């Protein structure tokens, strides 16, 4: 009875700690959100990372806030190697439905808008680049699924109709899937180019041939609208330009306007690290193998706890689970693990894992 009471007190302490951490995090997030309520009519959003669910969530929320607060212009300062197709399309849909003009500006010098960044640039009302920047290489690839069909040969000693037929079937299936991805992406970017009256021929080449352009070349080939070294120069060069919004055409009056940069808060920065596609694959691998190890040789639960947490984080990072669902799943896992700690002698492994899962879910 005494041991059970001690375990109950320990569980209560863990729950109180989690609540305090979540309250502290919520207060800090509120402070960051308030600081983002800038008085300047132009908002500059900086995105310097792979495009994933965290960056898409930050952009969509900031764009929605800019519309509600009556901002004149949103500038997306972009430097990305690419990212997830789902997150990219989420950002593009927000741009197309926006009542505030969105300028995508590839900056600073040396930055790039590769792969998914090229689609976002084409979708924006105004496309701009800083000197010595690049865009293109927009061919879609399947993350974590290398093309085993390319150049595949039957294993030595297995030559025969059955083996060669299986290899040919696998190669044909791979070719069909690759063709579907490329054709879909080509049609998507061609539609964006036609909407914004930009170079659709080069856009399709960027998808099918993975070609790239520098800023000056992009300007000469009608891929972008302006080249600007900084924000004041950008605002001066796009002044008087007519853009088409969802509600109709408007004329930009941006010369000399005040601007202020809105940076992601600690929550989005943390989620961006987790949502990096390369890191996401590691999380998925740890999650799957952790659970397999726990089921094959049950121990104190460390492998299972780590595997379950990493699996939920990996599913979120690869956008297989929406952020709210992933957060809810981690909250439930955390509560279940802390409850299991009360009745299972695991020397704190389940309890510590439960606290970690609960806090991670609360942050999401």
């Amino acid at each position: 009875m005494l041991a059970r009471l001690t375990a109950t007190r320990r569980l209560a302490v863990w729950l109180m700690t989690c609540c305090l951490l979540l309250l502290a995090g919520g207060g800090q997030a509120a402070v960051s959100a308030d600081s983002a309520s800038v008085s300047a009519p132009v908002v500059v959003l900086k995105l310097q990372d792979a495009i994933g669910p965290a960056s898409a969530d930050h952009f969509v929320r900031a764009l929605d806030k800019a519309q509600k607060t009556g901002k004149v212009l949103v500038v997306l300062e972009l430097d990305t190697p690419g990212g997830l197709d789902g997150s990219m399309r989420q950002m593009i849909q927000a741009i197309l439905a926006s009542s505030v003009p969105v300028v995508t500006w590839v900056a600073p010098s040396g930055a790039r808008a590769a792969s998914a960044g090229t689609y976002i640039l084409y979708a924006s009302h105004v496309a701009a680049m800083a000197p010595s920047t690049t865009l293109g290489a927009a061919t879609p690839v399947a993350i974590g699924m290398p093309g085993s069909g390319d150049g595949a040969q039957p294993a030595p000693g297995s030559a025969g109709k059955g083996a060669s037929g299986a290899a040919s079937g696998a190669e044909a299936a791979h070719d069909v899937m690759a063709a579907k991805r490329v054709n879909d992406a080509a049609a998507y970017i061609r539609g964006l180019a036609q909407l914004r009256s930009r170079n659709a021929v080069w856009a399709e080449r960027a998808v099918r041939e993975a070609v790239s352009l520098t800023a000056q070349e992009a300007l000469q080939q009608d891929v972008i609208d302006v080249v600007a070294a900084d924000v004041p120069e950008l605002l001066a060069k796009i002044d008087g330009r007519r853009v088409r919004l969802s509600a109709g055409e408007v004329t930009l009056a941006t010369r000399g306007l005040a601007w202020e940069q809105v940076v992601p808060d600690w929550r989005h920065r943390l989620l961006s690290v987790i949502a990096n596609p390369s890191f996401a694959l590691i999380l998925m691998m740890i999650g799957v193998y952790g659970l397999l190890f726990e089921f094959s040789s049950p121990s104190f639960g460390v492998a299972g706890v780590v595997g379950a947490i990493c699996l939920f984080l990996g599913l979120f990072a690869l956008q297989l689970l929406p952020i709210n669902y992933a957060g809810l799943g981690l909250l439930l896992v955390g509560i279940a693990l802390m409850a299991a700690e009360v009745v299972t002698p695991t020397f704190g492994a389940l309890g510590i894992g439960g606290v970690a899962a609960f806090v991670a879910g609360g942050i999401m």
Side-chain angles (χ1 to χ4, degrees):
M1 183 68 178
L2 181 60
R4 179 63 58 85
L5 289 175
T6 303
T8 304
R9 292 195 190 97
R10 188 168 54 187
L11 177 61
V13 170
W14 282 330
L15 286 173
M16 290 177 62
T17 302
C18 292
C19 292
L20 289 174
L21 287 172
L22 290 176
L23 287 174
Q28 189 170 353
V31 171
S32 299
D34 291 339
S35 64
S37 300
V38 296
S39 57
V42 176
V43 176
V44 179
L45 305 174
K46 198 166 187 176
L47 197 164
Q48 287 186 316
D49 203 353
I51 295 170
S55 53
D57 179 70
H58 171 65
F59 173 77
V60 171
R61 288 175 182 270
L63 182 58
D64 181 64
K65 187 168 186 177
Q67 295 177 77
K68 291 179 179 178
T69 54
K71 302 303 178 186
V72 173
L73 188 72
V74 173
V75 177
L76 175 61
E77 184 178 340
L78 185 64
D79 179 13
T80 179
L84 299 179
D85 177 81
S87 301
M88 174 198 75
R89 290 176 184 263
Q90 183 181 354
M91 294 175 64
I92 290 176
Q93 288 171 2
I95 293 173
L96 297 181
S98 175
S99 60
V100 176
V102 176
V103 177
T104 296
W105 176 47
V106 185
S109 294
R112 57 178 171 169
S115 193
T118 302
Y119 295 81
I120 295 173
L121 192 73
Y122 261 83
S124 301
H125 302 98
V126 179
M129 298 176 70
S132 303
T133 55
T134 59
L135 83 159
T139 304
V141 295
I143 184 171
M145 296 178 63
S148 58
D150 295 337
Q153 298 292 335
S158 62
K161 187 175 180 180
S164 61
S168 299
E171 184 176 355
H174 169 73
D175 291 342
V176 169
M177 291 300 297
K180 287 177 65 175
R181 289 195 301 268
V182 171
N183 289 334
D184 176 69
Y188 189 56
I189 199 169
R190 190 170 60 248
L192 296 174
Q194 293 169 354
L195 176 67
R196 302 301 185 200
S197 300
R198 298 196 177 107
N199 191 332
V201 175
W202 183 87
E204 190 164 352
R205 286 188 62 209
V207 174
R208 298 189 182 278
E209 304 174 23
V211 295
S212 298
L213 289 176
T214 64
Q216 290 298 332
E217 292 170 344
L219 183 63
Q220 293 170 2
Q221 298 188 32
D222 294 326
V223 173
I224 62 172
D225 302 306
V226 296
V227 174
D230 52 31
V231 176
E233 182 182 356
L234 174 65
L235 297 179
K237 285 189 172 182
I238 65 175
D239 183 65
R241 182 178 294 272
R242 292 188 64 82
V243 297
R244 183 186 303 169
L245 303 177
S246 57
E249 288 193 353
V250 297
T251 302
L252 300 180
T254 56
R255 185 182 296 273
L257 288 181
W259 59 276
E260 190 161 346
Q261 191 172 73
V262 176
V263 297
D265 57 15
W266 67 271
R267 172 180 173 270
H268 283 99
R269 288 197 298 270
L270 176 61
L271 292 178
S272 293
V273 174
I274 297 173
N276 186 289
S278 300
F279 191 49
L281 293 177
I282 297 175
L283 289 173
M284 289 292 292
M285 183 178 64
I286 295 175
V288 171
Y289 281 102
L291 293 177
L292 287 176
F293 181 79
E294 183 66 31
F295 291 145
S296 61
S297 57
S299 55
F300 292 111
V302 176
V305 170
V306 173
I309 295 174
C310 288
L311 191 60
F312 271 104
L313 293 177
L315 291 173
F316 151 73
L318 293 177
Q319 216 168 14
L320 299 176
L321 271 182
I323 184 171
N324 289 334
Y325 289 174
L328 177 61
L330 284 170
L331 286 174
L332 295 177
V333 169
I335 293 173
L337 290 175
M338 288 186 288
E341 176 68 24
V342 178
V343 297
T344 307
T346 57
F347 303 100
L350 294 181
I352 295 173
V355 170
F358 195 84
V359 172
I363 291 174
M364 288 188 176

